[in-house]
Amino acid sequence: MPSNARQRLSDFEQAWVPRLNAPLAAAVQADTTDVRLAEAMTYSLLAGGKRLRPLLTVATLTTVGGQFDDDRDWRPVMALELLHTYSLIHDDLPAMDNDPLRRGEPTNHMKFGAGMATLAGDGLLTLAFQWLTATDLPSETKAALVSGLAHAVGPNGMVAGQARDIQSEQVTLSMPQLQTLHREKTGALLHYAVEAGLILGGLPTAQWQPYLRFADAFGLAFQIYDDILDVVATPEELGKATQKDAGEAKNTYPGHLGLQGANQALIDTIASGQKALKALPSGQDASLLAAFFSYFKTDRVKA
C-alpha cells in the first residue's frame, strides 16, 4: 500500500481519535448509576482501542459530503464502539474464548470477575442503543441507525457468527461456510460502520451499493489479516495470546489455504474493495476510504 495512503490514514486517526475519545469516560459514567459497573465498562472501553469502526463511520460521512456535529453525532457514532467493546468482553469470558489478555492488559473478567464482566458487556450493549437515540437527529435517521445496528449485531449478524464459531470448533468448514462465518462474526459490524455514515450523511439509498461492497471487502480483509497475524505476529505485537486458532482447531484462512494462500486472498480482497470505491458517484472522493486498506500489511508473510 503506498506510503501516502498510510500517511493519510495516520493523519485522519490523529485528528479524530482524540476528538472521539475525549468525552467517553464522562459520558458513560453519567449514564451509569453503579460506580463499580461504570468502572468495569470504562476499563475495557478505554483500554487502547483503535476506534476503527467509528473512524470508518466518520470517514464515510465525510466522503458523502456530510458534516460531523459533536453535539448531534458523537453519541450515535460512538454507540458502535460501545457495542464492539461489549462483544470483546463477552468473547473473552471463560465460557467463550477464556482469554487472559486483551490489548496487552488483563481482560475484563480477569480484573472484575466473570459476573461483573458479563454485566459490563450487557451495560455497554444496551447503552449503545440509548446513545443512538439520545440526539437531535431526525426520527427517521435514528430509526434507521437502530435498525441497522440491531441487524448487524443480532441473530442475523455478529451473534450468529459467534454461534457458528462455537459450533465449528473441531469441525472443518467449507470455504463458503467459512466466508459466511466471517461475514457475520466480523464483517457485519464493519458493514454497519459504513452504513451508519451513509445514514448520517443522508446519501440516497440508490447510491449505497459501492460503499457497502467496499465495507464488505474491508470486513473480510480484516478477518483474513487477523487470522494471518495469529500465526505470524508475537503476543507483544497484538497484546493478546497468539497461535490460539490452530490450538483450538478453529477454521481460519491460513488453516484452509496456508499462509501464502491466505496472503493472496488478502491481496485479492483488498483489490475487490478498491474496485468498489472506483464506482462511487461522481464528485465523491474515495481516497480517504481507500486509505483504510493501508491498515493491512501484505508483506507479513514471507515467500
Side-chain angles (χ1 to χ4, degrees):
M1 185 65 63
S3 59
N4 59 338
R6 286 192 288 270
Q7 188 61 53
R8 178 81 186 276
L9 181 60
S10 177
D11 291 345
F12 183 71
E13 291 171 335
Q14 290 177 28
W16 278 95
V17 170
R19 184 173 175 180
L20 294 173
N21 279 342
L24 202 45
V28 171
Q29 290 165 2
D31 284 328
T32 310
T33 59
D34 184 89
V35 174
R36 186 65 170 170
L37 177 61
E39 183 182 355
M41 291 165 67
T42 55
Y43 172 77
S44 292
L45 195 58
L46 301 178
K50 297 180 289 293
R51 308 302 184 225
L52 179 63
R53 291 154 188 82
L55 285 173
L56 264 175
T57 300
V58 173
T60 304
L61 171 63
T62 301
T63 300
V64 302
Q67 296 293 320
F68 184 94
D69 181 295
D70 289 89
D71 293 332
R72 181 194 64 203
D73 298 327
W74 181 81
R75 276 185 172 79
V77 167
M78 290 305 289
L80 179 53
E81 193 67 14
L82 302 187
L83 201 299
H84 172 58
T85 304
Y86 129 75
S87 75
L88 299 181
I89 294 173
H90 281 201
D91 197 42
D92 289 336
L93 285 169
M96 298 284 282
D97 286 350
N98 196 26
D99 278 318
L101 288 176
R102 170 71 67 176
R103 296 166 178 161
E105 299 293 336
T107 46
N108 201 289
H109 69 272
M110 296 295 290
K111 186 172 178 66
F112 295 94
M116 185 59 75
T118 302
L119 293 171
D122 292 344
L124 290 167
L125 165 63
T126 49
L127 185 58
F129 285 95
Q130 178 181 324
W131 278 14
L132 288 179
T133 59
T135 170
D136 291 333
L137 286 167
S139 297
E140 59 270 21
T141 302
K142 290 188 280 190
L145 291 169
V146 169
S147 177
L149 185 58
H151 185 86
V153 304
N156 290 295
M158 185 184 70
V159 172
Q162 291 282 22
R164 292 182 198 275
D165 195 33
I166 290 174
Q167 295 173 86
S168 66
E169 291 182 15
Q170 311 296 330
V171 176
T172 300
L173 298 180
S174 67
M175 185 56 70
Q177 289 173 323
L178 179 61
Q179 290 169 337
T180 297
L181 189 159
H182 284 171
R183 183 172 63 250
E184 293 174 341
K185 180 182 176 183
T186 303
L189 272 192
L190 292 164
H191 180 103
Y192 170 78
V194 172
E195 181 183 346
L198 301 175
I199 293 169
L200 290 169
L203 190 72
T205 55
Q207 298 180 25
W208 282 18
Q209 280 310 305
Y211 286 97
L212 297 181
R213 290 197 299 271
F214 154 76
D216 292 338
F218 186 87
L220 179 56
F222 187 92
Q223 184 60 61
I224 296 171
Y225 191 57
D226 191 64
D227 286 353
I228 291 172
L229 290 180
D230 185 70
V231 178
V232 304
T234 65
E236 290 74 24
E237 285 180 280
L238 296 188
K240 61 181 180 179
T242 57
Q243 308 285 335
K244 285 197 67 181
D245 291 339
E248 296 172 358
K250 288 197 173 185
N251 288 269
T252 66
Y253 269 74
H256 276 253
L257 303 175
L259 274 174
Q260 291 290 345
N263 200 57
Q264 187 59 53
L266 174 61
I267 292 169
D268 294 343
T269 302
I270 292 171
S272 174
Q274 291 170 331
K275 181 179 178 181
L277 290 176
K278 291 179 180 178
L280 293 192
S282 176
Q284 293 178 9
D285 181 2
S287 61
L288 178 56
L289 290 176
F292 275 78
F293 284 119
S294 68
Y295 174 81
F296 311 115
K297 298 177 175 63
T298 56
D299 59 356
R300 292 301 300 257
V301 177
K302 305 302 180 183

